[in-house]
């Protein structure tokens, strides 16, 4: 009888689990519509998107499905501009759409997204950091604003073809490697 009660309590406790409530609040400042944010500057009213579960050492990220990051987010009576997309790793995200409001001075960590089919970078991004280890990503549009492809970016993807815009002046070490399906790399001009 005691064993049955322990099993029932364990099952009920597991139904109460929600990722948002399980994440330590010191790993993010606030959450709106399932997206976690850290405040970069109260003065400039800017925030960055974070993945608090990765910061907590979890093996899976906080995001699933479609991650459409807005250019602004309201919280506590204040409207913040989303200026950075810090991390998205080990999630079950299929699509990511990043806003043009992101500052190019901030880097991103987009990796180990095994279900990622599509990513839309901001039109103003100058340094491409990631994605990597996203083997289901077969098509990638690199915006013409990109000047640098950072070390290790575009590695271990499912790409078949890659177009590199003419503004790219630097491709970092270990970039565009281990792409077994990659057959063609095109350089504009």
């Amino acid at each position: 009888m005691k064993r049955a009660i322990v099993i029932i309590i364990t099952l009920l406790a597991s139904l109460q689990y929600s990722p948002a409530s399980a994440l330590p609040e010191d790993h993010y400042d606030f959450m709106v519509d399932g997206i976690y944010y850290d405040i970069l500057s109260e003065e400039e009213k800017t925030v960055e998107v974070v993945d608090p579960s990765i910061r907590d050492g979890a093996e899976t990220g906080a995001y699933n499905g479609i991650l459409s990051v807005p250019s602004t987010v309201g919280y506590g009576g204040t409207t913040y501009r989303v200026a950075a997309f810090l991390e998205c790793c080990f999630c079950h995200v299929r699509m990511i759409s990043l806003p043009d409001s992101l500052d190019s001075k901030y880097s991103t960590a987009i990796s180990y997204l095994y279900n990622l089919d599509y990513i839309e970078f901001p039109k103003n991004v100058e340094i491409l950091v990631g994605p990597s280890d996203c083997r289901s990503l077969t098509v990638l549009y690199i915006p013409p604003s990109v000047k640098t492809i950072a070390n290790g970016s575009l590695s271990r993807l499912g790409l078949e073809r890659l177009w590199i815009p003419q503004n790219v002046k630097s491709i970092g070490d270990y970039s565009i490697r281990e792409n077994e399906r990659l057959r063609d790399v095109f350089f504009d001009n």
Side-chain angles (χ1 to χ4, degrees):
M1 180 70 170
K2 288 182 183 179
R3 184 177 167 144
I5 292 173
V6 169
I7 291 172
I8 291 172
I9 290 173
T10 304
L11 288 172
L12 289 174
S14 70
L15 292 175
Q16 296 291 325
Y17 174 81
S18 83
S21 64
L23 296 171
E25 291 186 18
D26 62 337
H27 291 303
Y28 63 96
D29 290 326
F30 63 90
M31 181 187 70
V32 174
D33 295 331
I35 300 176
Y36 299 90
Y37 299 92
D38 270 349
I39 296 171
L40 289 171
S41 169
E42 282 287 359
E43 187 176 285
E44 295 178 9
K45 302 202 180 337
T46 56
V47 294
E48 64 184 350
V49 174
V50 298
D51 188 340
S53 58
I54 298 301
R55 292 177 173 194
D56 196 37
E59 293 184 16
T60 58
Y63 302 113
N64 292 300
I66 298 171
L67 180 57
S68 183
V69 178
S71 58
T72 61
V73 62
Y75 180 76
T78 301
T79 299
Y80 295 94
R81 179 176 63 87
V82 179
F85 183 84
L86 184 60
E87 56 210 359
C88 186
C89 305
F90 301 106
C91 299
H92 299 284
V93 175
R94 286 186 16 257
M95 297 173 64
I96 297 175
S97 178
L98 300 174
D100 290 337
S101 63
L102 297 186
D103 291 339
S104 61
K105 66 183 176 183
Y106 297 109
S107 64
T108 60
I110 299 172
S111 58
Y112 301 102
L113 303 179
Y114 303 115
N115 300 323
L116 186 65
D117 295 323
Y118 176 81
I119 183 167
E120 181 179 342
F121 288 101
K123 293 178 184 82
N124 63 342
V125 66
E126 292 182 8
I127 300 173
L128 189 65
V129 180
S132 64
D133 297 289
C134 304
R135 296 206 184 260
S136 64
L137 185 62
T138 59
V139 176
L140 179 67
Y141 172 73
I142 299 174
S145 58
V146 171
K147 296 178 182 172
T148 301
I149 297 175
N151 293 348
S153 295
L154 309 180
S155 296
R156 295 174 300 280
L157 304 177
L159 296 178
E160 296 172 3
R161 291 188 173 106
L162 177 63
W163 286 267
I164 298 180
Q166 68 181 13
N167 289 336
V168 172
K169 305 296 182 221
S170 172
I171 298 176
D173 294 339
Y174 307 107
S175 295
I176 316 172
R177 68 181 178 121
E178 297 180 39
N179 288 294
E180 292 87 21
R181 296 169 43 187
L182 186 62
R183 300 290 175 248
D184 300 305
V185 177
F186 302 98
F187 294 89
D188 286 345
N189 292 334

mmCIF file of all heavy atoms in Angstrom, residues 106-134:
data_model
loop_
_atom_site.group_PDB
_atom_site.id
_atom_site.type_symbol
_atom_site.label_atom_id
_atom_site.label_comp_id
_atom_site.label_asym_id
_atom_site.label_seq_id
_atom_site.Cartn_x
_atom_site.Cartn_y
_atom_site.Cartn_z
ATOM 1 N N TYR A 106 26.407 42.230 -30.624
ATOM 2 C CA TYR A 106 26.209 41.074 -29.758
ATOM 3 C C TYR A 106 26.282 39.794 -30.575
ATOM 4 O O TYR A 106 25.741 39.700 -31.659
ATOM 5 C CB TYR A 106 24.849 41.139 -29.055
ATOM 6 C CG TYR A 106 24.707 42.321 -28.144
ATOM 7 C CD1 TYR A 106 23.869 43.378 -28.471
ATOM 8 C CD2 TYR A 106 25.411 42.391 -26.956
ATOM 9 C CE1 TYR A 106 23.735 44.471 -27.628
ATOM 10 C CE2 TYR A 106 25.289 43.473 -26.112
ATOM 11 C CZ TYR A 106 24.455 44.504 -26.457
ATOM 12 O OH TYR A 106 24.329 45.578 -25.629
ATOM 13 N N SER A 107 26.944 38.788 -30.031
ATOM 14 C CA SER A 107 27.012 37.510 -30.724
ATOM 15 C C SER A 107 25.885 36.608 -30.227
ATOM 16 O O SER A 107 25.243 36.888 -29.225
ATOM 17 C CB SER A 107 28.363 36.847 -30.495
ATOM 18 O OG SER A 107 28.525 36.553 -29.130
ATOM 19 N N THR A 108 25.675 35.532 -30.944
ATOM 20 C CA THR A 108 24.640 34.583 -30.573
ATOM 21 C C THR A 108 25.237 33.184 -30.510
ATOM 22 O O THR A 108 26.247 32.905 -31.135
ATOM 23 C CB THR A 108 23.500 34.566 -31.604
ATOM 24 O OG1 THR A 108 24.048 34.188 -32.861
ATOM 25 C CG2 THR A 108 22.831 35.912 -31.721
ATOM 26 N N ALA A 109 24.607 32.341 -29.758
ATOM 27 C CA ALA A 109 24.993 30.930 -29.718
ATOM 28 C C ALA A 109 23.792 30.127 -30.172
ATOM 29 O O ALA A 109 22.814 29.987 -29.440
ATOM 30 C CB ALA A 109 25.417 30.521 -28.321
ATOM 31 N N ILE A 110 23.836 29.674 -31.403
ATOM 32 C CA ILE A 110 22.769 28.847 -31.952
ATOM 33 C C ILE A 110 23.420 27.533 -32.340
ATOM 34 O O ILE A 110 24.132 27.457 -33.336
ATOM 35 C CB ILE A 110 22.106 29.520 -33.171
ATOM 36 C CG1 ILE A 110 21.486 30.866 -32.766
ATOM 37 C CG2 ILE A 110 21.055 28.594 -33.779
ATOM 38 C CD1 ILE A 110 20.984 31.683 -33.922
ATOM 39 N N SER A 111 23.200 26.539 -31.525
ATOM 40 C CA SER A 111 23.844 25.256 -31.807
ATOM 41 C C SER A 111 23.067 24.107 -31.192
ATOM 42 O O SER A 111 22.262 24.294 -30.291
ATOM 43 C CB SER A 111 25.285 25.256 -31.299
ATOM 44 O OG SER A 111 25.325 25.525 -29.926
ATOM 45 N N TYR A 112 23.343 22.935 -31.715
ATOM 46 C CA TYR A 112 22.727 21.708 -31.246
ATOM 47 C C TYR A 112 21.207 21.765 -31.284
ATOM 48 O O TYR A 112 20.527 21.322 -30.373
ATOM 49 C CB TYR A 112 23.221 21.343 -29.835
ATOM 50 C CG TYR A 112 24.708 21.165 -29.774
ATOM 51 C CD1 TYR A 112 25.521 22.169 -29.256
ATOM 52 C CD2 TYR A 112 25.310 20.020 -30.272
ATOM 53 C CE1 TYR A 112 26.898 22.030 -29.230
ATOM 54 C CE2 TYR A 112 26.687 19.873 -30.247
ATOM 55 C CZ TYR A 112 27.475 20.874 -29.723
ATOM 56 O OH TYR A 112 28.833 20.734 -29.695
ATOM 57 N N LEU A 113 20.690 22.338 -32.355
ATOM 58 C CA LEU A 113 19.247 22.362 -32.583
ATOM 59 C C LEU A 113 18.956 21.333 -33.666
ATOM 60 O O LEU A 113 18.932 21.635 -34.856
ATOM 61 C CB LEU A 113 18.779 23.758 -33.019
ATOM 62 C CG LEU A 113 19.105 24.891 -32.059
ATOM 63 C CD1 LEU A 113 18.616 26.224 -32.601
ATOM 64 C CD2 LEU A 113 18.494 24.638 -30.697
ATOM 65 N N TYR A 114 18.774 20.112 -33.258
ATOM 66 C CA TYR A 114 18.705 18.999 -34.194
ATOM 67 C C TYR A 114 17.476 19.024 -35.084
ATOM 68 O O TYR A 114 17.459 18.368 -36.124
ATOM 69 C CB TYR A 114 18.791 17.683 -33.419
ATOM 70 C CG TYR A 114 20.048 17.593 -32.594
ATOM 71 C CD1 TYR A 114 19.995 17.555 -31.209
ATOM 72 C CD2 TYR A 114 21.296 17.601 -33.206
ATOM 73 C CE1 TYR A 114 21.158 17.491 -30.457
ATOM 74 C CE2 TYR A 114 22.472 17.544 -32.461
ATOM 75 C CZ TYR A 114 22.382 17.488 -31.091
ATOM 76 O OH TYR A 114 23.533 17.442 -30.348
ATOM 77 N N ASN A 115 16.440 19.761 -34.726
ATOM 78 C CA ASN A 115 15.220 19.832 -35.526
ATOM 79 C C ASN A 115 15.106 21.126 -36.322
ATOM 80 O O ASN A 115 14.098 21.355 -36.979
ATOM 81 C CB ASN A 115 13.990 19.702 -34.619
ATOM 82 C CG ASN A 115 13.971 18.396 -33.862
ATOM 83 O OD1 ASN A 115 14.361 17.371 -34.394
ATOM 84 N ND2 ASN A 115 13.539 18.426 -32.618
ATOM 85 N N LEU A 116 16.100 21.977 -36.267
ATOM 86 C CA LEU A 116 16.016 23.291 -36.908
ATOM 87 C C LEU A 116 15.957 23.153 -38.428
ATOM 88 O O LEU A 116 16.864 22.616 -39.057
ATOM 89 C CB LEU A 116 17.216 24.156 -36.516
ATOM 90 C CG LEU A 116 17.189 25.600 -37.002
ATOM 91 C CD1 LEU A 116 16.043 26.368 -36.354
ATOM 92 C CD2 LEU A 116 18.517 26.279 -36.710
ATOM 93 N N ASP A 117 14.855 23.658 -39.009
ATOM 94 C CA ASP A 117 14.661 23.639 -40.462
ATOM 95 C C ASP A 117 14.944 24.999 -41.088
ATOM 96 O O ASP A 117 15.276 25.085 -42.259
ATOM 97 C CB ASP A 117 13.205 23.295 -40.810
ATOM 98 C CG ASP A 117 12.814 21.901 -40.404
ATOM 99 O OD1 ASP A 117 13.648 20.994 -40.511
ATOM 100 O OD2 ASP A 117 11.662 21.720 -39.977
ATOM 101 N N TYR A 118 14.748 26.064 -40.301
ATOM 102 C CA TYR A 118 14.792 27.407 -40.877
ATOM 103 C C TYR A 118 15.247 28.407 -39.822
ATOM 104 O O TYR A 118 14.822 28.334 -38.676
ATOM 105 C CB TYR A 118 13.387 27.788 -41.379
ATOM 106 C CG TYR A 118 13.278 29.187 -41.908
ATOM 107 C CD1 TYR A 118 13.693 29.498 -43.197
ATOM 108 C CD2 TYR A 118 12.764 30.208 -41.116
ATOM 109 C CE1 TYR A 118 13.589 30.785 -43.682
ATOM 110 C CE2 TYR A 118 12.672 31.498 -41.599
ATOM 111 C CZ TYR A 118 13.085 31.781 -42.873
ATOM 112 O OH TYR A 118 12.995 33.062 -43.347
ATOM 113 N N ILE A 119 16.104 29.328 -40.250
ATOM 114 C CA ILE A 119 16.483 30.440 -39.381
ATOM 115 C C ILE A 119 16.518 31.704 -40.221
ATOM 116 O O ILE A 119 17.034 31.708 -41.339
ATOM 117 C CB ILE A 119 17.828 30.197 -38.668
ATOM 118 C CG1 ILE A 119 18.134 31.353 -37.720
ATOM 119 C CG2 ILE A 119 18.954 29.977 -39.652
ATOM 120 C CD1 ILE A 119 19.247 31.086 -36.747
ATOM 121 N N GLU A 120 15.928 32.744 -39.684
ATOM 122 C CA GLU A 120 15.922 34.052 -40.343
ATOM 123 C C GLU A 120 16.755 35.004 -39.495
ATOM 124 O O GLU A 120 16.393 35.323 -38.363
ATOM 125 C CB GLU A 120 14.507 34.585 -40.490
ATOM 126 C CG GLU A 120 14.427 35.916 -41.189
ATOM 127 C CD GLU A 120 12.995 36.404 -41.331
ATOM 128 O OE1 GLU A 120 12.057 35.595 -41.213
ATOM 129 O OE2 GLU A 120 12.812 37.608 -41.541
ATOM 130 N N PHE A 121 17.896 35.417 -40.052
ATOM 131 C CA PHE A 121 18.762 36.358 -39.359
ATOM 132 C C PHE A 121 18.289 37.780 -39.607
ATOM 133 O O PHE A 121 17.650 38.063 -40.621
ATOM 134 C CB PHE A 121 20.209 36.223 -39.859
ATOM 135 C CG PHE A 121 20.881 34.963 -39.405
ATOM 136 C CD1 PHE A 121 21.006 33.887 -40.260
ATOM 137 C CD2 PHE A 121 21.386 34.859 -38.122
ATOM 138 C CE1 PHE A 121 21.630 32.719 -39.852
ATOM 139 C CE2 PHE A 121 22.004 33.696 -37.700
ATOM 140 C CZ PHE A 121 22.125 32.625 -38.562
ATOM 141 N N PRO A 122 18.633 38.706 -38.719
ATOM 142 C CA PRO A 122 18.308 40.109 -38.959
ATOM 143 C C PRO A 122 19.014 40.610 -40.220
ATOM 144 O O PRO A 122 20.107 40.141 -40.558
ATOM 145 C CB PRO A 122 18.844 40.844 -37.728
ATOM 146 C CG PRO A 122 19.225 39.802 -36.754
ATOM 147 C CD PRO A 122 19.339 38.503 -37.466
ATOM 148 N N LYS A 123 18.397 41.554 -40.885
ATOM 149 C CA LYS A 123 18.976 42.096 -42.123
ATOM 150 C C LYS A 123 20.246 42.894 -41.881
ATOM 151 O O LYS A 123 21.025 43.108 -42.793
ATOM 152 C CB LYS A 123 17.943 42.961 -42.834
ATOM 153 C CG LYS A 123 16.767 42.170 -43.363
ATOM 154 C CD LYS A 123 15.751 43.089 -44.017
ATOM 155 C CE LYS A 123 14.541 42.339 -44.468
ATOM 156 N NZ LYS A 123 13.575 42.105 -43.407
ATOM 157 N N ASN A 124 20.474 43.329 -40.645
ATOM 158 C CA ASN A 124 21.624 44.183 -40.344
ATOM 159 C C ASN A 124 22.791 43.448 -39.681
ATOM 160 O O ASN A 124 23.767 44.071 -39.304
ATOM 161 C CB ASN A 124 21.189 45.344 -39.444
ATOM 162 C CG ASN A 124 20.679 44.852 -38.096
ATOM 163 O OD1 ASN A 124 20.336 43.691 -37.926
ATOM 164 N ND2 ASN A 124 20.619 45.749 -37.138
ATOM 165 N N VAL A 125 22.711 42.128 -39.543
ATOM 166 C CA VAL A 125 23.762 41.389 -38.845
ATOM 167 C C VAL A 125 25.070 41.463 -39.643
ATOM 168 O O VAL A 125 25.081 41.316 -40.850
ATOM 169 C CB VAL A 125 23.346 39.919 -38.584
ATOM 170 C CG1 VAL A 125 23.203 39.136 -39.863
ATOM 171 C CG2 VAL A 125 24.315 39.244 -37.647
ATOM 172 N N GLU A 126 26.169 41.753 -38.942
ATOM 173 C CA GLU A 126 27.466 41.881 -39.603
ATOM 174 C C GLU A 126 28.391 40.709 -39.297
ATOM 175 O O GLU A 126 29.258 40.370 -40.097
ATOM 176 C CB GLU A 126 28.141 43.194 -39.197
ATOM 177 C CG GLU A 126 27.418 44.408 -39.744
ATOM 178 C CD GLU A 126 28.101 45.724 -39.400
ATOM 179 O OE1 GLU A 126 29.225 45.698 -38.855
ATOM 180 O OE2 GLU A 126 27.507 46.767 -39.668
ATOM 181 N N ILE A 127 28.224 40.116 -38.124
ATOM 182 C CA ILE A 127 29.056 38.972 -37.739
ATOM 183 C C ILE A 127 28.128 37.780 -37.533
ATOM 184 O O ILE A 127 27.241 37.805 -36.679
ATOM 185 C CB ILE A 127 29.846 39.259 -36.443
ATOM 186 C CG1 ILE A 127 30.755 40.467 -36.636
ATOM 187 C CG2 ILE A 127 30.646 38.030 -36.033
ATOM 188 C CD1 ILE A 127 31.439 40.925 -35.368
ATOM 189 N N LEU A 128 28.320 36.748 -38.328
ATOM 190 C CA LEU A 128 27.501 35.556 -38.229
ATOM 191 C C LEU A 128 28.194 34.576 -37.281
ATOM 192 O O LEU A 128 29.296 34.104 -37.559
ATOM 193 C CB LEU A 128 27.318 34.929 -39.606
ATOM 194 C CG LEU A 128 26.310 33.802 -39.706
ATOM 195 C CD1 LEU A 128 24.908 34.336 -39.427
ATOM 196 C CD2 LEU A 128 26.356 33.187 -41.081
ATOM 197 N N VAL A 129 27.557 34.325 -36.147
ATOM 198 C CA VAL A 129 28.071 33.376 -35.160
ATOM 199 C C VAL A 129 27.035 32.266 -35.071
ATOM 200 O O VAL A 129 25.966 32.461 -34.528
ATOM 201 C CB VAL A 129 28.272 34.033 -33.780
ATOM 202 C CG1 VAL A 129 28.815 33.023 -32.788
ATOM 203 C CG2 VAL A 129 29.161 35.245 -33.889
ATOM 204 N N GLY A 130 27.349 31.118 -35.628
ATOM 205 C CA GLY A 130 26.394 30.024 -35.683
ATOM 206 C C GLY A 130 25.588 30.134 -36.959
ATOM 207 O O GLY A 130 25.811 31.038 -37.740
ATOM 208 N N PRO A 131 24.747 29.257 -37.193
ATOM 209 C CA PRO A 131 24.471 28.077 -36.386
ATOM 210 C C PRO A 131 25.513 26.989 -36.611
ATOM 211 O O PRO A 131 26.255 27.025 -37.584
ATOM 212 C CB PRO A 131 23.106 27.634 -36.900
ATOM 213 C CG PRO A 131 23.077 28.067 -38.320
ATOM 214 C CD PRO A 131 23.873 29.345 -38.358
ATOM 215 N N SER A 132 25.525 26.056 -35.687
ATOM 216 C CA SER A 132 26.359 24.862 -35.840
ATOM 217 C C SER A 132 25.641 23.688 -35.181
ATOM 218 O O SER A 132 24.802 23.877 -34.308
ATOM 219 C CB SER A 132 27.740 25.078 -35.222
ATOM 220 O OG SER A 132 27.639 25.264 -33.838
ATOM 221 N N ASP A 133 25.980 22.502 -35.633
ATOM 222 C CA ASP A 133 25.376 21.277 -35.110
ATOM 223 C C ASP A 133 23.858 21.275 -35.223
ATOM 224 O O ASP A 133 23.151 20.918 -34.286
ATOM 225 C CB ASP A 133 25.816 21.039 -33.657
ATOM 226 C CG ASP A 133 27.302 20.816 -33.564
ATOM 227 O OD1 ASP A 133 27.754 19.756 -34.014
ATOM 228 O OD2 ASP A 133 28.002 21.720 -33.067
ATOM 229 N N CYS A 134 23.369 21.703 -36.373
ATOM 230 C CA CYS A 134 21.937 21.711 -36.676
ATOM 231 C C CYS A 134 21.764 20.939 -37.978
ATOM 232 O O CYS A 134 21.611 21.522 -39.055
ATOM 233 C CB CYS A 134 21.416 23.133 -36.803
ATOM 234 S SG CYS A 134 21.731 24.180 -35.366
#
